[in-house]
């Protein structure tokens, strides 16, 4: 999780390994949907540490990840942001970044760098905490791995966080097998049918030659004459 935005990805790889530092602490603030994306995760996800992984089965869902960026450089910083789509991210996925309330539109450029100008930097005093959020909208089933870099500009990068999104096809709920109780048994005049499934069901009674002599949709229970 190191350097970016040089002349080629090959040069990028060399810079990445040579210039990686641990100048910030990156923790999950409050992010995503579901229990696999916790609030207040105390793990340090900055360069050299574990990637942040999110799993989803919801097609078209947007995964919102908020990170606390703790400045441990020893001086006040004014950082720009760069993003590298590191793996074969599906072409119909889109992503965007925000510094606090300032959000940059989705871009297919790879690598991508935040623009210059007022309000486009993350300004954090030494020892203070800033906020960066990363948003990914998934489409085709697949895995996307991203590296998000922080630095004085888009070539002098100090630290990074790696994010991995795993989108797998969900499984449809299986239909419930019939589950019922009938009483009294034997019966003379009436019988009560208790449906034990949580969903309503259709009750049919047929005679010995297959003619339907009774048909009714019930929920819960019904008394049949």
């Amino acid at each position: 999780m190191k350097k970016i935005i040089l002349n080629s990805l090959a040069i990028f790889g060399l810079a990445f390994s040579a210039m990686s530092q641990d100048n910030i602490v990156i923790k999950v603030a409050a992010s995503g949907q579901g229990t696999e994306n916790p609030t207040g995760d105390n793990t340090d996800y900055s360069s050299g540490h574990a990637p942040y992984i999110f799993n989803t089965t919801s097609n078209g869902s947007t995964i919102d990840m908020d990170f606390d960026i703790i400045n441990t450089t020893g001086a006040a910083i004014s950082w720009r942001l760069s993003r590298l789509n590191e793996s074969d991210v599906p072409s119909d996925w889109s992503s965007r970044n925000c510094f606090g309330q300032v959000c940059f539109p989705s871009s297919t450029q790879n690598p991508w760098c935040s623009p210059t100008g007022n309000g486009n930097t993350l300004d954090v005093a030494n020892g203070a905490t800033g906020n960066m959020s990363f948003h990914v909208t998934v489409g085709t089933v697949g895995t996307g791995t991203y590296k998000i870099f922080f630095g004085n500009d888009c070539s002098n990068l100090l630290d990074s966080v790696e994010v991995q999104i795993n989108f797998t096809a969900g499984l449809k709920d299986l239909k419930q097998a019939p589950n019922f109780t009938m009483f009294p048994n034997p019966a003379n005049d009436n019988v009560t049918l208790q449906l034990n499934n949580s969903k309503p069901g259709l009750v049919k009674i047929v005679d010995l030659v297959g003619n339907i002599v009774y048909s009714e949709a019930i929920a819960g229970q019904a008394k049949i004459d």
Side-chain angles (χ1 to χ4, degrees):
M1 307 159 225
K2 289 69 178 175
K3 303 299 100 173
I4 171 178
I5 307 290
L6 299 179
N7 293 328
S8 69
L9 291 181
I11 296 176
F12 169 84
L14 295 175
F16 175 86
S17 60
M19 301 181 67
S20 174
Q21 302 178 41
D22 194 20
N23 292 318
I24 60 176
V25 175
I26 302 175
K27 297 184 178 181
V28 175
S31 74
Q33 307 83 11
T35 56
E36 66 254 270
N37 214 1
T39 298
D41 186 346
N42 215 25
T43 302
D44 183 2
Y45 291 101
S46 61
S47 178
H49 297 81
Y52 184 69
I53 299 173
F54 184 86
N55 302 309
T56 184
T57 59
S58 300
N59 186 22
S61 65
T62 298
I63 300 144
D64 306 305
M65 293 155 279
D66 294 330
F67 293 94
D68 283 335
I69 315 299
I70 305 170
N71 178 14
T72 59
T73 62
I77 52 89
S78 182
W79 279 334
R80 289 175 68 189
L81 177 151
S82 301
R83 183 184 70 246
L84 173 72
N85 296 3
E86 190 181 33
S87 66
D88 294 328
V89 176
S91 60
D92 60 349
W93 289 25
S94 62
S95 60
R96 63 188 179 94
N97 293 83
C98 300
F99 280 157
Q101 300 301 314
V102 178
C103 292
F104 310 108
S106 298
S107 173
T108 58
Q109 183 179 350
N110 186 35
W112 169 87
C113 184
S114 63
T116 58
N118 294 333
N120 291 336
T121 58
L122 180 65
D123 302 318
V124 185
N126 181 46
T129 299
N131 177 262
M132 183 275 293
S133 59
F134 184 45
H135 311 268
V136 177
T137 301
V138 300
T140 304
V141 169
T143 294
T145 302
Y146 309 84
K147 283 179 179 173
I148 303 166
F149 300 83
F150 304 89
N152 299 325
D153 54 42
C154 288
S155 59
N156 296 309
L157 299 160
L158 300 177
D159 222 320
S160 62
V161 58
E162 181 174 320
V163 176
Q164 178 179 310
I165 308 296
N166 300 310
F167 172 38
T168 56
L171 297 176
K172 293 184 178 180
D173 293 336
L174 298 177
K175 290 184 178 180
Q176 291 179 312
N179 187 346
F180 62 91
T181 304
M182 186 177 291
F183 57 90
N185 186 16
N188 293 321
D189 299 313
N190 296 283
V191 64
T192 298
L193 182 67
Q194 175 71 49
L195 192 62
N196 297 324
N197 288 344
S198 59
K199 295 181 179 180
L202 178 65
V203 178
K204 292 182 179 180
I205 299 176
V206 297
D207 61 19
L208 293 177
V209 295
N211 297 315
I212 298 176
V213 296
Y214 176 86
S215 179
E216 182 180 358
I218 70 168
Q221 71 175 31
K223 182 175 287 188
I224 301 172
D225 185 353

